[in-house]
Amino acid sequence: MSSIVVFILFIICLLIAIPVSISLGIVSVLPGAFDPSFTASGTYVIRSMLGGLDSFPLLAVPMFVLSGIIMARGGISRKLFDVFAFFMGKRTAGMPCAVVVTCLFYGAISGSGPATVAAVGSMTIPILIEMGYDKKFSTALVAVAGGLGVIIPPSIPFIMYGMASGASVSDLFIAGVIPGLLIGGLLMIYAFFYCKKNGEDQQKKEAMVGELHEKGFLKVLKESSFALLSPVIILGCIYTGIASPTEAAVISVFYALLISLFIYRSIKVRDIWSILVESIRTYAPILFILAASIAFSRVLTLMQVPQDISTWILSHFTNKIVLLLVINLFLLIVGMVMDTTPAILILTPILLPIVEAVGVDPIHFGIIMVVNLAIGFVTPPIGVNLFVASSLTDLSVMEIARKAMPMIVYFLIALLVITFVPAVSLVLLS
């Protein structure tokens, strides 16, 4: 069975709404089923699935999922938003900018884009609407800024890329800091111009920020201090070498549980069971996709698909700039129709040899890939962030997507800078 037939069957499975994990499992088994001499028999595929999941770095994913859910239930996002609103709220676009910064910080806790949208959006969208901001703008801003959750470390997609490429997860986390801040800064610039053009309800804004100022800086800081310390502790443990990303993920779970139970008292012991159930429901589908993706990538390797695609691309696109533009366009399209995890696990073994052949650092390419797929979070038809934001506001996915288009343009500008200025990603590693 040729590789082209395998990919066509995979696309057909997706089009007829077979779940991604099952689709990957089907196309992984078919080459061996049709050709008994092919190495990847059904037994090999199952063994690859189970063996691929036996990974220490992979343990970080369920831990960050659990940590993010605990902090969402514990109201951590509200504590973060209050302190940023205190300092930024009175300025032009201060409240929308406070939302973007809150997404940055919450992303440094959860490592997930949809989790960031759910936790920050459920709290900030009603506040922005109450203050007179357009509902579509408020929802689109949170949906797009939520994409920062997978770029700012710790990031679940960086862990997946590290697994697929063999690159250091810690180095990927460090490399993601400046790109995340760059994108966050551009989103705040857009919010500033939007609010300059459309105006703000100064009276409502003054009332909201005034409540925070009545509390006083020290009280607001005291209430938010443990929330602000969360990313500092998690990333500090990783960057100082005290803990690996997996160990830091476990630390984040215990930290989130302790401050939610005993400091903020926002959850009860009886809530822990439902939190565990929710985290398992969130992670289990990822686990099945992971297992099937690993098996599929190994089957593709045995079929020499990465080598064939690499040879074809390098023979048709010899210019490095053109090659990177083509790969970016390809990843943007993939991000529109495929979830991040299978996209990274399937495409990394195919694309990494190609970009390495033209001198692109594997860490730099990891940032490029994740930023591309983060844009996929807010582009139909699969854009997960759009669906999460839609569930929070009852706006249609297409309404949010249309309002998000100017912000996506800013995201694309950041992508071009990150792609063609490697120092943006690698300067902290030098």
Side-chain angles (χ1 to χ4, degrees), residues 166-188:
S168 165
V169 174
S170 296
D171 286 351
L172 287 164
F173 282 2
I174 294 170
V177 173
I178 293 179
L181 294 175
L182 170 65
I183 296 166
L186 288 174
L187 290 178
M188 285 190 274

Side-chain angles (χ1 to χ4, degrees), residues 302-313:
L302 289 171
M303 295 176 73
Q304 295 192 318
V305 171
Q307 296 91 323
D308 292 342
I309 293 176
S310 176
T311 302
W312 185 86
I313 290 177

Side-chain angles (χ1 to χ4, degrees), residues 176-199:
V177 173
I178 293 179
L181 294 175
L182 170 65
I183 296 166
L186 288 174
L187 290 178
M188 285 190 274
I189 290 171
Y190 170 76
F192 176 83
F193 286 119
Y194 177 90
C195 291
K196 272 284 188 184
K197 179 182 177 182
N198 295 279

Side-chain angles (χ1 to χ4, degrees), residues 61-113:
V61 179
M63 292 297 103
F64 280 127
V65 168
L66 177 56
S67 173
I69 291 171
I70 293 171
M71 291 192 178
R73 291 277 196 96
I76 302 298
S77 54
R78 179 59 196 247
K79 304 293 184 184
L80 291 170
F81 179 71
D82 281 351
V83 73
F84 300 132
F86 181 92
F87 288 107
M88 305 170 71
K90 288 188 176 181
R91 302 176 184 277
T92 302
M95 299 305 282
C97 288
V99 171
V100 174
V101 179
T102 304
C103 287
L104 280 166
F105 265 75
Y106 195 84
I109 296 169
S110 70
S112 165

